[in-house]
């Protein structure tokens, strides 16, 4: 695509403003002229070739264009009789440079806001800018529109279907060649003092030039000092408009810079940066802390201000900042963020703000960068540290059980948008019960550590979130040290061991089966052995207290909790099999009287009516949903099998089944 800028006019009506240079060099600000603005927009759009017709003050114009030092190939074409002809003849003089490409055509005295030019560039076909909201001008162009096409352009048309128009065109080559040949015919028969649009009117039925309605946006020629004053004031107002974007990224790549540059052209750009907590809820734990992410954007030239956005919802920041534009890629029109977009549109409509969406361009190189970033997140040192960081940042983290690669992906990718916030699980719980059940084995520590570590490896291979490992009793202290080193090396964030001895029985059996609680000092020694074995402070050892399960009372549970923390436990899990949470709440309350810092974990399998907010309010830090994927998956599979047996075919079972395509998209290719 090439640009054709017509700069051969005299501009006498501008008076002293054009006494020493062409009209296109009229200043709009101390650093910008009409022409420099046009050329900068062409550069930003990726247009490299510019054909510029000249006449009045040609040498001044050439030197000025060179001084701008823009990455453009400018071909100057002089109209030797510029003072005796109209711009139709200037185009005729340049005809040999204009036959091989699509054309952006504009007059050199035309000033338009960036949004107008963006719409011209995005238009799918040939177009001319018009405005249905402006009254018909007396002396300027009008376009007559019929059946969605422009049939006539000129200053004389005041008929039905006429709208105000400006000489900013996008012409696809086929349409342009029809018009250009018409221009050639006009000039070669001596009609050189008319508008080029006269030739277009004669061939409009042979090409398809459609109106691009820019409404009240700035798109105006400067013909007089009065025009100049109005346009300059309007442009200053436009460039002072607040533009808002929000980012959650840890890294800034070329795609981000591209959309930032587009947004900057719309006004004063304010960038919102999602807080660490919001980012962790929306995507993953940020590798770069909030303050440093802010600094990344603050150091991009042209960014007016950087602010904090605490939720995925834009609502609060929009109402606070009142941006004229909110800018986003168009990839949020469908999928998970669609409700966020709808809320943005609703809030903007409250005061007349506008949403600008730029096309999302898929780039393999950026995808590779994202894959590399994700790979780094899954590396042991990065993954292991994230649980303790999440606890410090959020106060409460949630984990759901995973017992295979596919359940790990469900835990990793399941996200819900609610009340302007995103919710997802922070971590995964590798339960010995669920791991044993998936293998068809009883939950009595029959599945050995090597087998369980293979499950860890399967899950880690396809996920990035922290892992909490169910270490059962931990075995002998000598064995537990080996377990700690192995889990830590793999990148597991926490191991939870329970204070029982002997053949393991699931805690929910309570006292209905023989279960023996470990001696406090012996269990403390196991904790100390594990702490001595670990190499990093990031790896956490959590002591699970079975006193309430075994009906030994709160006093015993509190005594053990304090002893275990003193022995070095990084967290405490308190468990109960009662349906009411009273004894859990009572334990937490008493424990917090003396210990405000040690994280407390709960597994609300039986007391499942308590919300996460209430747990957090009472002092709980980790909520583990210990077996819901296993318990929900097996009945569904069993019912599907029965349905096939009952009907002797699979058709009736299809309604119970997730489409294979959806499963495939859940599984990463690499």
């Amino acid at each position: 695509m090439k640009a054709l800028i017509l700069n051969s006019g005299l501009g006498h009506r501008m008076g002293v403003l054009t006494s020493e240079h062409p009209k296109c060099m009229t200043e709009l600000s101390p650093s910008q002229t009409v022409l420099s603005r046009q050329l900068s927009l062409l550069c930003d759009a990726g247009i490299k070739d510019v054909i510029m017709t000249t006449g009045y003050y040609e040498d001044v114009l050439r030197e000025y264009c060179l001084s701008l030092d823009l990455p453009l190939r400018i071909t100057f074409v002089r109209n030797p009789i510029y003072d005796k002809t109209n711009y139709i003849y200037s185009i005729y003089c340049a005809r040999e440079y204009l036959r091989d490409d699509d054309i952006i055509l504009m007059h050199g005295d035309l000033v338009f806001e960036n949004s107008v030019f963006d719409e011209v560039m995005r238009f799918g076909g040939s177009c001319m800018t018009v405005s249905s909201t402006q009254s018909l001008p007396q002396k300027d162009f009008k376009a007559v529109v019929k059946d969605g096409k422009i049939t006539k352009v000129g200053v004389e048309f005041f008929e039905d279907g006429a709208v105000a128009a400006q000489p900013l065109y996008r012409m696809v080559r086929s349409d342009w060649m029809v018009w250009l040949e018409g221009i050639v015919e006009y000039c070669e028969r001596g009609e050189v003092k008319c508008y080029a649009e006269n030739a277009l009117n004669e061939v409009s039925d042979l090409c398809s030039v459609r109106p691009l309605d820019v409404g009240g946006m700035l798109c105006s020629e400067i013909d007089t000092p009065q025009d100049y004053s109005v346009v300059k004031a309007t442009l200053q107002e436009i460039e002072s408009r607040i533009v808002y974007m929000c980012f959650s990224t840890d890294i800034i790549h070329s795609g981000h810079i591209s959309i930032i540059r587009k947004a900057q052209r719309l006004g004063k750009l304010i960038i919102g940066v999602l807080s660490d907590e919001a980012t962790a809820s929306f995507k993953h734990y940020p590798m770069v802390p909030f303050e440093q992410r802010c600094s990344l954007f603050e150091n991009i030239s042209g960014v007016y201000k950087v602010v904090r956005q605490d939720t995925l919802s834009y609502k609060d920041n929009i109402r606070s900042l009142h941006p004229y534009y909110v800018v986003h890629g168009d990839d949020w029109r469908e999928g998970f963020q669609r409700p966020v977009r709808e809320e943005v549109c609703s809030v903007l409509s409250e005061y007349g703000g506008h949403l600008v969406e730029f096309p999302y361009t898929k780039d393999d190189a950026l995808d590779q960068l994202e894959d590399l970033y994700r790979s780094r997140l899954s590396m042991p040192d990065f993954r292991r540290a994230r649980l303790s960081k999440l606890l410090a940042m959020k106060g409460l983290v949630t984990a759901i059980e995973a017992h295979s690669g596919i359940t790990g992906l469900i835990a990793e990718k399941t996200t819900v948008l609610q009340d302007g916030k995103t919710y997802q699980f922070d971590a995964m719980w590798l339960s010995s019960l669920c791991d044993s059940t998936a293998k068809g084995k009883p939950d009595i520590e029959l599945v050995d550590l090597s087998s369980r570590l293979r499950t860890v490896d399967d899950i880690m291979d396809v996920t990035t979130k922290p892992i909490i490992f169910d270490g059962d009793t931990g075995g002998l202290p000598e064995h537990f040290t080996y377990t700690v080193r192995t889990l830590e090396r793999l990148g597991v964030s926490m191991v939870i061991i329970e204070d029982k001895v002997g053949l393991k029985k699931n805690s929910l059996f309570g006292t209905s089966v023989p279960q023996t609680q470990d001696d406090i000092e012996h269990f403390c020694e196991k904790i100390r052995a594990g702490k001595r074995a670990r190499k990093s402070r990031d790896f956490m050892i959590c002591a699970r207290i079975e006193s309430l399960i075994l009906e030994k009372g709160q006093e015993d549970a509190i005594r053990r909790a304090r002893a275990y923390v003193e022995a070095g436990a990084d967290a405490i899990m308190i468990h109960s099999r009662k349906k009411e949470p009273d004894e859990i709440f009572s334990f937490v309350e008493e424990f917090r009287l003396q210990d405000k810092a040690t994280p407390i974990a709960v597994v609300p399998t039986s007391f499942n009516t308590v919300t996460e907010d209430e747990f957090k309010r009472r002092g709980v830090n980790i909520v583990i949903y210990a077996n819901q994927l296993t318990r929900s998956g097996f009945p569904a599979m069993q019912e599907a099998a029965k349905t096939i047996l009952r009907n002797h075919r699979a058709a009736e079972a299809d309604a119970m089944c997730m489409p294979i395509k959806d499963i495939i998209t859940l599984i990463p290719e690499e």
Side-chain angles (χ1 to χ4, degrees):
M1 178 177 286
K2 295 179 178 178
L4 171 60
I5 304 178
L6 304 174
N7 277 325
S8 51
L10 292 170
H12 286 328
R13 286 188 289 168
M14 292 288 286
V16 296
L17 289 172
T18 55
S19 61
E20 297 180 352
H21 54 70
K23 185 165 52 169
C24 64
M25 289 174 57
T26 303
E27 284 191 356
L28 296 172
S29 72
S31 61
Q32 188 180 69
T33 65
V34 176
L35 180 58
S36 70
R37 178 181 173 81
Q38 290 178 341
L39 294 176
S40 295
L41 286 171
L42 292 171
C43 283
D44 290 343
I47 295 174
K48 300 298 183 184
D49 289 307
V50 177
I51 313 301
M52 189 178 300
T53 66
T54 68
Y56 180 62
Y57 282 125
E58 178 191 16
D59 292 341
V60 173
L61 180 60
R62 284 175 175 265
E63 290 180 11
Y64 175 70
C65 289
L66 291 174
S67 73
L68 295 175
D69 196 27
L70 293 170
L72 295 169
R73 294 182 290 270
I74 303 178
T75 302
F76 298 95
V77 178
R78 177 178 172 79
N79 178 349
I81 49 176
Y82 64 87
D83 55 342
K84 300 180 180 64
T85 60
N86 208 326
Y87 60 82
I88 188 172
Y89 190 71
S90 298
I91 297 175
Y92 175 76
C93 294
R95 64 191 181 280
E96 296 307 321
Y97 300 102
L98 302 171
R99 296 183 182 278
D100 59 351
D101 214 334
D102 296 351
I103 295 292
I104 294 291
L105 168 60
M106 66 182 74
H107 288 201
D109 61 356
L110 188 65
V111 179
F112 39 86
E113 61 182 278
N114 300 329
S115 298
V116 169
F117 190 67
D118 289 339
E119 291 194 24
V120 170
M121 291 301 298
R122 287 198 296 265
F123 198 88
S126 299
C127 67
M128 179 186 192
T129 53
V130 304
S131 173
S132 61
T133 64
Q134 294 181 10
S135 58
L136 295 180
Q138 289 298 312
K139 296 181 180 181
D140 293 327
F141 276 155
K142 278 78 69 177
V144 179
V145 180
K146 184 177 180 180
D147 298 328
K149 288 178 54 177
I150 293 177
T151 59
K152 290 181 288 186
V153 178
V155 298
E156 69 272 26
F157 302 116
F158 289 89
E159 61 200 72
D160 289 343
V163 290
Q166 291 292 350
L168 174 59
Y169 297 87
R170 173 177 179 150
M171 300 295 297
V172 299
R173 183 177 182 276
S174 57
D175 292 331
W176 171 242
M177 291 307 299
V178 172
W179 187 6
L180 183 60
E181 292 308 314
I183 290 171
V184 170
E185 289 180 15
Y186 255 68
C187 291
E188 291 184 349
R189 65 175 183 248
E191 297 187 48
V192 295
K193 293 186 177 181
C194 62
Y195 297 120
E197 282 74 10
N198 289 35
L200 176 62
N201 294 342
E202 291 196 3
V203 297
S204 62
D205 59 330
L206 301 178
C207 55
S208 179
V209 182
R210 290 180 287 162
L212 172 57
D213 191 350
V214 298
M217 290 192 285
L218 175 63
C219 186
S220 179
E221 287 185 291
I222 298 177
D223 290 323
T224 67
Q226 292 74 26
D227 292 342
Y228 173 62
S229 296
V230 171
V231 167
K232 188 175 180 181
T234 303
L235 194 59
Q236 288 175 346
E237 184 276 324
I238 289 170
E239 292 180 346
S240 67
R241 290 171 178 169
I242 297 299
V243 182
Y244 184 68
M245 299 179 69
C246 183
F247 287 90
S248 63
T249 186
D250 287 314
I251 51 175
I252 300 176
H253 53 60
S254 59
H256 296 135
I257 296 297
S258 176
I259 195 170
I260 285 172
R261 294 295 178 229
K262 291 176 182 177
Q264 285 173 332
R265 298 207 311 269
L266 301 176
K268 289 185 176 179
L269 177 59
I270 297 178
I271 287 181
V273 177
L274 276 187
S275 66
D276 287 342
E277 183 174 353
T279 301
S281 298
F282 170 45
K283 297 174 72 176
H284 46 63
Y285 184 84
M287 293 176 62
V288 180
F290 172 78
E291 290 76 14
Q292 293 181 29
R293 288 187 288 124
C294 285
S295 181
L296 290 175
F297 290 102
E298 288 168 345
N299 284 284
I300 296 176
S301 63
V303 173
Y304 175 63
K305 188 191 300 185
V306 175
V307 300
R308 180 187 183 98
Q309 184 167 313
D310 285 314
T311 67
L312 189 58
S313 168
Y314 286 53
K315 178 173 59 179
D316 291 342
N317 280 19
I318 291 176
R319 286 180 175 154
S320 171
L321 298 169
H322 270 241
Y324 190 88
Y325 293 114
V326 170
V327 174
H328 202 284
D330 62 1
D331 53 318
W332 68 343
R333 293 182 179 180
E334 300 295 335
F336 174 71
Q337 290 195 74
R338 182 176 177 180
V340 179
R341 178 185 184 274
E342 291 172 350
E343 182 186 61
V344 167
C345 293
S346 175
V347 177
L348 288 173
S349 69
E350 294 174 2
Y351 64 91
H354 305 270
L355 174 63
V356 176
E357 295 172 309
F358 292 110
Y360 178 81
T361 303
K362 186 173 176 60
D363 188 320
D364 290 341
L366 298 183
D367 288 343
Q368 291 173 7
L369 186 63
E370 182 65 26
D371 290 342
L372 180 63
Y373 183 76
R374 180 180 170 82
S375 296
R376 193 177 184 191
L377 283 174
S378 66
M379 296 298 289
D381 287 345
F382 286 96
R383 188 197 295 249
R384 184 193 315 116
R386 284 207 300 280
L387 182 63
S388 57
K389 291 179 179 178
L390 281 167
L391 281 167
M393 180 179 69
K394 297 179 67 177
L396 181 135
V397 300
T398 60
I400 191 168
E401 65 101 346
H403 55 266
S404 63
I406 192 67
T407 54
L409 285 169
I410 291 171
E412 175 99 352
K413 296 188 175 185
T414 301
T415 309
V416 171
L417 179 65
Q418 189 178 63
D419 302 326
K421 297 182 179 180
T422 50
Y423 297 91
Q424 59 179 312
F425 297 105
D426 300 299
M428 291 169 284
W429 164 246
L430 267 65
S431 158
S432 63
L433 165 65
C434 298
D435 200 4
S436 300
T437 303
K439 294 174 171 61
K441 303 290 178 63
D443 181 29
I444 54 172
E445 296 185 88
L446 183 62
V447 178
D448 63 21
L449 181 62
S450 297
S451 178
R452 295 204 57 211
L453 292 178
R454 283 194 292 273
T455 302
V456 172
D457 190 57
D458 287 343
I459 293 173
M460 284 189 157
D461 196 39
V462 294
T463 65
T464 64
K465 289 186 176 179
I467 288 177
I468 301 173
F469 186 82
D470 180 1
D472 289 324
T473 65
L476 296 173
E478 295 82 1
H479 297 169
F480 184 53
T481 57
Y482 169 81
T483 301
V484 166
R485 292 193 189 104
T486 302
L487 294 176
E488 185 181 28
R489 185 171 61 250
L490 289 174
V492 170
S493 297
M494 175 186 282
V495 62
I496 298 181
I497 54 172
E498 58 190 85
D499 57 355
K500 291 193 299 191
V501 294
L503 182 65
K504 180 194 171 181
K505 295 288 185 180
N506 191 281
S507 293
L508 295 181
F509 286 116
T511 57
S512 63
V513 297
Q515 300 197 65
T516 304
Q517 196 168 17
D518 199 356
D519 173 79
I520 291 178
E521 183 51 40
H522 183 265
F523 193 71
C524 285
E525 178 51 38
K526 191 180 296 185
I527 294 170
R528 285 189 285 267
K531 292 298 291 284
R532 289 192 298 268
R534 73 174 188 173
K535 303 296 183 183
S536 164
R537 291 181 177 273
D538 298 328
F539 184 79
M540 303 174 72
I541 297 174
C542 176
R544 171 170 158 175
I545 300 169
E546 295 290 285
S547 299
L548 302 183
I549 290 286
L550 300 176
E551 299 180 359
K552 291 188 175 182
Q554 180 171 304
E555 185 179 343
D556 183 75
I558 290 292
R559 184 171 63 254
R560 287 174 176 271
R562 290 171 181 163
Y564 299 162
V565 170
E566 188 175 341
D570 301 289
I572 294 294
M573 176 189 281
I574 185 65
H575 204 18
S576 171
R577 58 192 175 91
K578 293 184 177 179
K579 294 189 179 297
E580 298 300 324
D582 298 357
E583 62 180 6
I584 292 292
F585 290 162
S586 180
F587 170 88
V588 172
E589 182 180 2
E590 185 172 348
F591 182 77
R592 286 291 180 230
L593 290 176
Q594 294 187 1
D595 189 328
K596 307 292 186 184
T598 302
I600 298 176
V602 296
V603 181
T605 304
S606 54
F607 46 99
N608 54 22
T609 60
V610 185
T611 66
E612 293 159 10
D613 283 343
E614 184 171 1
F615 278 129
K616 183 177 182 179
R617 189 169 61 251
R618 290 179 177 273
V620 172
N621 308 101
I622 303 172
V623 176
I624 298 175
Y625 299 99
N627 48 43
Q628 280 75 13
L629 295 187
T630 293
R631 289 164 54 209
S632 61
F634 281 91
M637 289 187 286
Q638 189 175 58
E639 183 56 31
K642 288 180 179 179
T643 299
I644 293 171
L645 287 175
R646 281 194 295 266
N647 295 281
H648 308 288
R649 62 180 188 180
E652 289 75 11
D654 273 1
M656 309 175 191
C657 300
M658 185 178 188
I660 287 293
K661 182 180 179 181
D662 292 350
I663 296 175
I664 292 173
T665 57
L666 185 68
I667 299 173
E669 293 184 5
E670 295 183 359

